[in-house]
Amino acid sequence: MAINPRGADLKRLLVEDPGGPVVMLNLLRFADGGRPLYAEYARHLSETFLERYGAEVLYAGTGSTVLAAEPGQEWDAVLLVRYPHREAFSRMVADPEYQQVTSLRTEALTEAVLQATVPW
């Protein structure tokens, strides 16, 4: 299952850039014992990287009652993070200091959706 974007994914993110801010949708499924690891990753993100790259968390929440989904499509958590532009996100994930903490996210999750959104 996909957890982290690959180089080709990041290149496509920039090539398909319509300009302006981007809100990244994160759908997260935790591994056993993964919530504390993700919380540590999120702490690093908020203390170091969000301000550095002009990002802000718009929403973070725990998945609750599933109303319309197939079995196995429910998510443990949802996170919406706005970046000033797609390049800011790309620079953040390429940051050597970020690379030192991204393993926490990788270990915390069994599956994730990370999708750029475009406003209507």
Side-chain angles (χ1 to χ4, degrees):
M1 299 288 169
I3 301 292
N4 297 306
R6 298 163 300 179
D9 301 322
L10 294 170
K11 287 179 185 175
R12 193 173 77 254
L13 177 76
L14 296 175
V15 166
E16 296 175 0
D17 188 355
V22 62
V23 174
M24 299 296 287
L25 167 67
N26 293 258
L27 301 175
L28 309 173
R29 187 164 293 123
F30 295 113
D32 287 339
R35 283 182 189 270
L37 290 172
Y38 195 86
E40 186 177 345
Y41 163 79
R43 182 181 58 79
H44 285 287
L45 201 67
S46 66
E47 290 177 358
T48 305
F49 302 104
L50 294 180
E51 185 176 333
R52 182 182 296 176
Y53 291 98
E56 67 174 312
V57 174
L58 300 177
Y59 178 81
T62 300
S64 184
T65 306
V66 176
L67 300 177
E70 298 298 319
Q73 289 183 323
E74 66 278 355
W75 294 95
D76 295 327
V78 175
L79 185 67
L80 296 170
V81 183
R82 180 176 31 217
Y83 294 84
H85 41 74
R86 290 178 181 212
E87 189 175 324
F89 175 80
S90 185
R91 285 196 325 258
M92 183 189 76
V93 298
D95 183 320
E97 193 175 353
Y98 175 84
Q99 291 293 321
Q100 293 177 1
V101 299
T102 194
S103 63
L104 293 167
R105 182 181 186 279
T106 303
E107 292 175 43
L109 302 173
T110 59
E111 189 175 10
V113 170
L114 180 59
Q115 183 172 356
T117 67
V118 177
W120 289 354

